[in-house]
Amino acid sequence: MLSITPINFAEANAFVSKYHRHHKPMQGCKFCVAVSVEEKVCGVCIVGRPVARFLDNGWTLEVNRCCTDGTRNACSMLYGAAWKVSKALGYKRLITYTLPEEGESSLKASNWTLVGERGGGNWNVASRPRIDVAEYLQGQKLLWKVE
């Protein structure tokens, strides 16, 4: 039986390092939650400030990483728990981004709403050089929200 359990940032990042398909661990966060079966962690959710500066209004948080080992319903539980914690902390909105080819059933099951396509390209510009991300991560993303 799945249950929501606490997890610290270092442990959540270690889980992301092991299981996430295309993202690296985070640099920081507001909070993390895990979903477990008895003592075994099956998934983690790392929530922080929105990456997009114009969305960082003090009332919005972003699910920066949601990662599971494939356990059924773990993702839906994590998205639901992340929203409950965010509300309890006084936030009014929680957002996340997915790749278009990723499934949407976990977000829909957790009552999230698709806002639409956003972004594209990369952050490496002449005035502020960055290491390019993988090409498949440079395309449009889907923005989701729950309020």
Side-chain angles (χ1 to χ4, degrees):
M1 179 159 217
L2 288 173
S3 61
I4 297 298
T5 54
I7 191 166
N8 68 42
F9 181 59
E11 292 169 335
N13 260 343
F15 191 93
V16 168
S17 290
K18 184 174 181 179
Y19 290 102
H20 206 289
R21 293 184 303 255
H22 53 265
H23 280 303
K24 295 179 181 177
M26 294 297 302
Q27 296 295 314
C29 73
K30 288 285 188 178
F31 67 87
C32 303
V33 293
V35 65
S36 303
V37 174
E38 295 178 11
E39 299 294 316
K40 180 185 179 283
V41 174
C42 302
V44 300
C45 190
I46 301 175
V47 179
R49 291 173 49 193
V51 174
R53 286 182 290 181
F54 72 93
L55 293 175
D56 192 6
N57 59 11
W59 299 104
T60 303
L61 289 178
E62 178 177 333
V63 173
N64 300 120
R65 298 288 185 273
C66 186
C67 178
T68 73
D69 63 3
T71 300
R72 184 174 165 82
N73 297 326
C75 236
S76 299
M77 279 189 80
L78 287 167
Y79 282 124
W83 176 229
K84 285 179 185 176
V85 172
S86 297
K87 280 195 306 187
L89 292 172
Y91 290 92
K92 306 294 183 202
R93 184 179 198 213
L94 185 61
I95 62 170
T96 196
Y97 294 89
T98 61
L99 297 173
E101 61 271 12
E102 291 178 317
E104 55 189 38
S105 58
S106 294
L107 288 158
K108 286 185 174 181
S110 304
N111 295 317
W112 287 61
T113 304
L114 177 62
V115 177
E117 289 186 344
R118 297 292 188 273
N122 66 52
W123 292 9
N124 184 23
V125 294
S127 63
R128 191 168 181 178
R130 304 275 178 94
I131 297 172
D132 280 338
V133 296
E135 195 169 316
Y136 68 95
L137 293 176
Q138 294 179 16
Q140 297 259 301
K141 314 294 185 296
L142 300 177
L143 173 61
W144 296 83
K145 72 173 182 175
V146 63
E147 295 178 311

